[in-house]
Amino acid sequence: MRLDKYLKISRLIKRRTVANEACDAGRVFVNGKQARASYDVKEGDVLELHLGERVLKAQVLSVVEFARKEQAGDMYRMLEE
């Protein structure tokens, strides 16, 4: 699944266009490397989002095409900084 779509479905970022813009601006890293929106997300990847002053770090636990609001939190695990 594309990185921008994963960020939207997992609800780490609210809209796919915002996720796409964050990737284009170089604020999204996967496994320590800057990632493009087209990156293919896999289980075990570590995502790092630089959103303003906040830095979110999460490990991908599952990749599913559709997720309800209650299931979205099960797609990733937040990591300590």
Side-chain angles (χ1 to χ4, degrees), residues 1-16 18-23 27-30 35-37 41 47-49 51 56 58 60 72 75-76:
M1 173 185 300
R2 288 175 53 102
L3 177 59
D4 57 346
K5 186 174 180 182
Y6 180 85
L7 291 172
K8 188 237 184 243
I9 289 176
S10 67
R11 290 173 170 76
L12 285 168
I13 295 182
K14 204 172 237 184
R15 293 186 183 90
R16 187 167 178 181
V18 174
N20 205 322
E21 290 167 0
C23 292
R27 297 191 311 246
V28 180
F29 296 82
V30 178
R36 302 179 71 173
V41 177
L47 308 178
E48 192 173 323
L49 309 171
L51 306 171
L56 298 176
V60 177
M75 293 178 66
Y76 60 90

Side-chain angles (χ1 to χ4, degrees), residues 29-76:
F29 296 82
V30 178
N31 299 326
K33 297 180 183 172
Q34 191 172 345
R36 302 179 71 173
S38 60
Y39 175 82
D40 189 31
V41 177
K42 297 172 280 306
E43 291 181 15
D45 283 345
V46 175
L47 308 178
E48 192 173 323
L49 309 171
H50 296 262
L51 306 171
E53 295 293 317
R54 285 179 48 189
V55 176
L56 298 176
K57 206 168 186 182
Q59 182 178 20
V60 177
L61 298 179
S62 66
V63 179
V64 294
E65 289 296 319
F66 303 101
R68 292 179 169 260
K69 185 177 181 180
E70 301 81 27
Q71 300 166 326
D74 298 333
M75 293 178 66
Y76 60 90

